[in-house]
Amino acid sequence: MPLHTPHLKSPARTRTARRTFAAALCVALLLGAGGGASLAGEPVRGGVLRFLVEHEPSTLVSIAHTAGPTQRVSPKVTEGLLAYDLDFNPRPALATQWSVSPHGLVYTFTLRDGVKWHDGKDFTSEDVAYSIKLLKENHPRGRGTFAAVTAVDTPDPRTAIIRLSKPAPYLLTALDASESPIVAKHVYEGTDPLTNKNASAPIGTGPFVFKEWVKGSHVILERNPDYWDKGKPYLDRVVIRFIADQSARSAAFETGELDLAGGPPVPRSDLARVQALPSIGSETRGYEYNGNMTQLYFNFDTPQLKDKRVRLAIAHAIDLSRLLEVVYFGYGTIAPSPVGPDLKKFVNPAIEPYGFDLKAANRLLDEAGYPRKADGTRFPLRLYANPFNGRDSGDFVKQALAKVGIPVDFQFFDFSTYIQKAYTGREFDLTLESLSNTFDPTPGVQRIFWSKNFKVGLPFSNASHYDNPQVDALLEAAAVESDPAKRRQLWFTFQQAIYDDVAAVHLIAPQGVTLFNKKVKNHTLGVTGPNASFADVYIEK
């Protein structure tokens, strides 16, 4: 069936208050919406966009990474086959047409003509085939997303045919630049994508060309004069600044040093004050594609945590309502299931928080054979936290577990160090993660609990070393089930199994907020928001 202009809504991304793209566009045209889904007015050429990425990425290309900072930068330089509007409808990017065979095993893409890599070489179907191979082998989510791919045929330079052994009902929503970038075969062939020099000086097909990366400070991207979408981008340059200190970010917005940032990029305690600045606008759309969660994961190689009673005691020790109020200032929702609240068609409504119950927590720890010693403690645990969750989240958990006799050594690192220690060293007992559910639970959730996705050194994978054959079977069945009702039930059963096993403690779904100078237009035109290419962004004079 042809899918060039389909009415394809993500089965999991319909927000109650979300407008359709057409409605948002009409509102923008009538009311001059401040930089969101607005194409009102004639775009202005020129100017420099000062874009904040809070934590410095370890790589600038998301071919083997799902890290938030990388996904902010990568799509400006390196593109995907498709893009998605605010209703999750796929739109042409490097592919101009696409179709899916009736049995769902063959995806055919017609590729854009006349596209060149930034080094002047032609973009062809060979690049698509090689990129999908890399994603399948190296990408934390791609290992699941493209698991059923048996071949990518390239009958001519403008045609790529993806062949599957089993249906992949989520595949057409997985092809955004931030998620499944298309990289140059001639740059990557024969190399390790994790160490390839392209990771720090990327060559792409996108609207901006990499200029420099000054570690600890910034990345500069410059306008691609040969971009395939003639006349775009409108900006001359994007300066991507890295500011790890939260208070410094707030100050930078207050003094006008920044034009745009996603996140929220400032402490939630500062958010209302910064939003009230007359020059600053805010937008909560543009986070549907990634839908972040805050989760507490166990290291199942830690002896004490092999006992479900200990894991359940830890769950009972954490007051989620208080966590939402104190750490998140109410910007979010309690989210007790591994499938987040944005994935409405998949989230199991029967899953409720374990409940804050210190008496039950203490009883379970006693039953597990860990009574309090003379000093009141039972056993120590080491806690890490993804810095996107902030230090406060780790402090909260540390204080909570101290009340049940578990002293916590909370270690907080910069982003790159955290990735190394959590996913290569695996030196944690508990880690507070910030993992996206994405556009569909198969790529978003399967990677975390699928035993076959335990791979030391692979970021945002099954770092817990969780291994449950029942869960594996449910994940693998849901990944190929084409009947929507049956697939939904498989995900319901999976959530119950994870909940019953206390495989993790799912905490909060934080609300995404983009802050922008009101002169910045067209920054949120689709579900990837600040992770988009910025080809349409312009700055009013």
Side-chain angles (χ1 to χ4, degrees):
M1 57 180 177
L3 289 173
H4 175 60
T5 54
H7 189 66
L8 260 185
K9 290 188 178 181
S10 162
R13 288 293 171 181
T14 304
R15 291 180 180 272
T16 303
R18 192 180 68 192
R19 306 165 184 158
T20 65
F21 180 67
L25 179 57
C26 290
V27 170
L29 288 169
L30 291 172
L31 301 179
S38 171
L39 291 171
E42 186 67 27
V44 178
R45 299 193 183 282
V48 176
L49 180 76
R50 298 163 300 174
F51 179 54
L52 171 69
V53 172
E54 302 97 303
H55 301 284
E56 187 164 18
S58 56
T59 172
L60 303 183
V61 184
S62 56
I63 190 68
H65 262 264
T66 58
T70 299
Q71 290 191 312
R72 288 276 197 268
V73 179
S74 184
K76 282 70 175 163
V77 178
T78 306
E79 299 181 288
L81 289 174
L82 302 175
Y84 304 88
D85 67 20
L86 285 167
D87 263 344
F88 249 95
N89 296 310
R91 292 291 180 254
L94 288 177
T96 58
Q97 294 182 337
W98 50 96
S99 62
V100 183
S101 64
H103 46 58
L105 299 179
V106 179
Y107 289 67
T108 302
F109 295 89
T110 300
L111 305 179
R112 193 175 296 279
D113 195 21
V115 177
K116 290 188 178 293
W117 295 101
H118 295 159
D119 61 4
K121 296 185 182 298
D122 290 335
F123 159 71
T124 74
S125 56
E126 292 290 335
D127 298 310
V128 175
Y130 197 77
S131 297
I132 291 173
K133 174 180 179 292
L134 292 181
L135 290 163
K136 180 179 179 179
E137 294 173 353
N138 299 280
H139 191 274
R141 288 193 288 259
R143 289 162 59 83
T145 301
F146 298 102
V149 174
T150 58
V152 181
D153 297 341
T154 56
D156 61 67
R158 301 272 73 79
T159 305
I161 303 172
I162 301 176
R163 299 189 182 277
L164 309 177
S165 59
K166 298 175 286 188
Y170 47 83
L171 190 60
L172 272 180
T173 52
L175 302 177
D176 183 77
S178 62
E179 179 69 16
S180 302
I182 302 301
V183 297
K185 179 181 179 181
H186 66 273
V187 171
Y188 278 90
E189 192 168 25
T191 72
D192 180 349
L194 291 172
T195 59
N196 187 288
K197 63 181 181 181
N198 198 63
S200 58
I203 294 169
T205 58
F208 295 97
V209 177
F210 172 81
K211 178 67 175 178
E212 70 174 21
W213 183 0
V214 177
K215 295 295 179 70
S217 176
H218 66 268
V219 163
I220 293 179
L221 308 178
E222 294 190 335
R223 184 179 189 273
N224 178 6
D226 301 313
Y227 188 48
W228 54 261
D229 197 350
K230 299 305 179 185
K232 297 180 184 178
Y234 301 116
L235 299 168
D236 288 334
R237 175 178 284 195
V238 178
V239 177
I240 301 171
R241 293 187 57 190
F242 310 123
I243 305 176
D245 182 79
Q246 289 188 322
S247 60
R249 295 179 213 151
S250 298
F253 271 104
E254 290 172 321
T255 58
E257 296 174 31
L258 294 171
D259 299 311
L260 179 66
V266 301
R268 290 177 177 85
S269 57
D270 289 350
L271 193 50
R273 178 172 56 80
V274 175
Q275 286 175 307
L277 295 171
S279 62
I280 299 298
S282 65
E283 174 64 80
T284 58
R285 292 171 300 172
Y287 295 91
E288 296 85 352
Y289 199 78
N290 282 308
N292 276 344
M293 298 270 286
T294 300
Q295 311 101 331
L296 183 67
Y297 290 125
F298 304 107
N299 187 334
F300 280 83
D301 294 327
T302 298
Q304 295 93 333
L305 298 177
K306 293 179 184 293
D307 191 319
K308 185 170 77 171
R309 291 170 296 184
V310 173
R311 302 195 301 272
L312 183 57
I314 290 171
H316 280 314
I318 300 172
D319 185 342
L320 297 187
S321 296
R322 186 69 176 155
L323 176 65
L324 178 61
E325 175 189 354
V326 171
V327 175
Y328 293 92
F329 288 82
Y331 291 98
T333 57
I334 292 172
S337 169
V339 178
D342 282 341
L343 300 179
K344 296 185 187 300
K345 288 187 178 179
F346 292 104
V347 66
N348 186 342
I351 304 299
E352 296 183 350
Y354 292 104
F356 177 56
D357 189 337
L358 293 180
K359 183 177 179 181
N362 281 301
R363 185 190 73 249
L364 286 162
L365 290 169
D366 290 340
E367 291 175 357
Y370 298 105
R372 290 181 186 264
K373 294 176 284 192
D375 64 358
T377 67
R378 303 174 189 273
F379 54 85
L381 292 176
R382 178 181 294 175
L383 170 68
Y384 291 168
N386 184 321
F388 271 87
N389 285 324
R391 189 184 297 271
D392 289 351
S393 61
D395 288 336
F396 186 95
V397 171
K398 177 178 179 176
Q399 294 168 16
L401 296 190
K403 294 177 181 177
V404 294
I406 300 176
V408 170
D409 176 15
F410 173 39
Q411 300 184 11
F412 192 71
F413 309 103
D414 65 84
F415 186 73
S416 295
T417 303
Y418 169 76
I419 296 298
Q420 193 282 325
K421 285 187 168 288
Y423 291 94
T424 301
R426 297 189 65 251
E427 300 163 4
F428 67 93
D429 300 308
L430 304 168
T431 186
L432 277 163
E433 252 301 357
S434 177
L435 294 186
S436 163
N437 266 194
T438 75
F439 44 87
D440 184 277
T442 290
V445 178
Q446 177 171 318
R447 60 184 168 137
I448 306 163
F449 298 103
W450 190 32
S451 68
K452 297 174 186 175
N453 207 38
F454 172 67
K455 183 178 180 180
V456 174
L458 182 66
F460 310 119
S461 57
N462 180 4
S464 293
H465 201 183
Y466 182 69
D467 189 346
N468 184 324
Q470 178 199 5
V471 167
D472 281 353
L474 289 166
L475 289 169
E476 290 163 9
V480 300
E481 179 55 64
S482 55
D483 182 280
K486 292 179 180 178
R487 188 166 186 248
R488 184 170 182 255
Q489 186 56 53
L490 285 167
W491 279 110
F492 275 30
T493 306
F494 158 82
Q495 289 163 79
Q496 192 65 55
I498 289 292
Y499 181 86
D500 292 344
D501 201 21
V502 199
V505 185
H506 297 88
L507 306 170
I508 303 294
Q511 183 182 42
V513 181
T514 298
L515 297 179
F516 58 93
N517 185 305
K518 290 179 179 178
K519 292 183 179 180
V520 178
K521 304 297 180 182
N522 292 349
H523 57 73
T524 303
L525 298 178
V527 289
T528 57
N531 291 2
S533 73
F534 288 179
D536 291 287
V537 172
Y538 69 93
I539 301 173
E540 281 187 339
K541 299 297 184 185

